Amino acid sequence: MKLFVINGPNLNFLGIREPGHYGTTTYADLCHMIETHCKEKGIQVTCLQSNHEGDLVDYIQRAYYEGVDGIVINPGAYTHTSIALLDAVKSVSLPTVEVHISKVEEREAFRQVSYIRAACQATITGHGVAGYLEAIDFLAEHHHEKGGTQ
Ligand code: DQA
């Protein structure tokens, strides 16, 4: 099984930015944690991050071209603004899980809209960086249910 984990703007600043909301794990730590988890489960994973909306669209399209089985995505602030990311996930029709480190539903009104959610199989919020591992496990379970072997 092959997965992409895609992070949007400012998530490269994890560990530096607003630790009250996002914790103290750095982006490098997060990638390491994801890679270790996936190795244990026999999943091939690629972690990608960009501060630019178009790059995120390109990563989603790349997942299609590379025959990836699922996408975990934290679009950061583009969650609340980007129809392009919604359309990209719809375009590739790959199982996708939306992750937010913070509990967005308890934050500002402008964070209550998620465009990408409509194209996602599940949303995980407020579980800190552990949410990424839960999203990976969700995609792995569904892949096996569908008869996927690796
Ligand atoms: C976030 C929540 C978004 O509202 C915010 O813009 C982020 C991070 C989260 O992981 O909790 O950049 O997606």
Side-chain angles (χ1 to χ4, degrees):
M1 182 183 193
K2 277 200 331 195
L3 295 180
F4 272 11
V5 177
I6 301 174
N7 275 290
N10 301 306
L11 289 155
N12 55 322
F13 259 55
L14 279 183
I16 301 166
R17 73 182 289 213
E18 304 180 81
H21 283 303
Y22 305 116
T24 52
T25 304
T26 65
Y27 179 68
D29 292 340
L30 172 67
C31 294
H32 184 71
M33 206 179 89
I34 288 168
E35 281 155 11
T36 305
H37 186 77
C38 286
K39 205 171 179 187
E40 280 165 11
K41 304 217 155 201
I43 297 168
Q44 286 178 51
V45 71
T46 305
C47 291
L48 299 158
Q49 189 277 331
S50 178
N51 294 326
H52 306 278
E53 188 175 11
D55 286 348
L56 299 171
V57 171
D58 288 344
Y59 294 156
I60 293 165
Q61 293 185 358
R62 192 173 131 193
Y64 175 85
Y65 288 125
E66 292 192 13
V68 160
D69 300 295
I71 298 171
V72 173
I73 186 162
N74 181 349
Y78 289 135
T79 306
H80 319 300
T81 61
S82 180
I83 297 166
L85 292 181
L86 167 67
D87 285 348
V89 174
K90 282 189 174 173
S91 300
V92 298
S93 293
L94 291 170
T96 300
V97 178
E98 174 192 14
V99 172
H100 299 286
I101 296 167
S102 66
K103 211 167 180 59
V104 274
E105 59 274 29
E106 292 179 2
R107 298 183 64 195
E108 299 94 327
F110 58 81
R111 293 186 209 275
Q112 303 315 311
V113 172
S114 166
Y115 285 102
I116 208 167
R117 196 159 300 170
C120 292
Q121 272 62 45
T123 298
I124 296 168
T125 68
H127 293 186
V129 289
Y132 290 89
L133 306 188
E134 289 169 34
I136 289 164
D137 292 348
F138 176 94
L139 289 170
E141 265 169 44
H142 284 251
H143 182 69
H144 291 309
E145 274 167 21
K146 281 196 184 157
T149 45
Q150 299 193 319

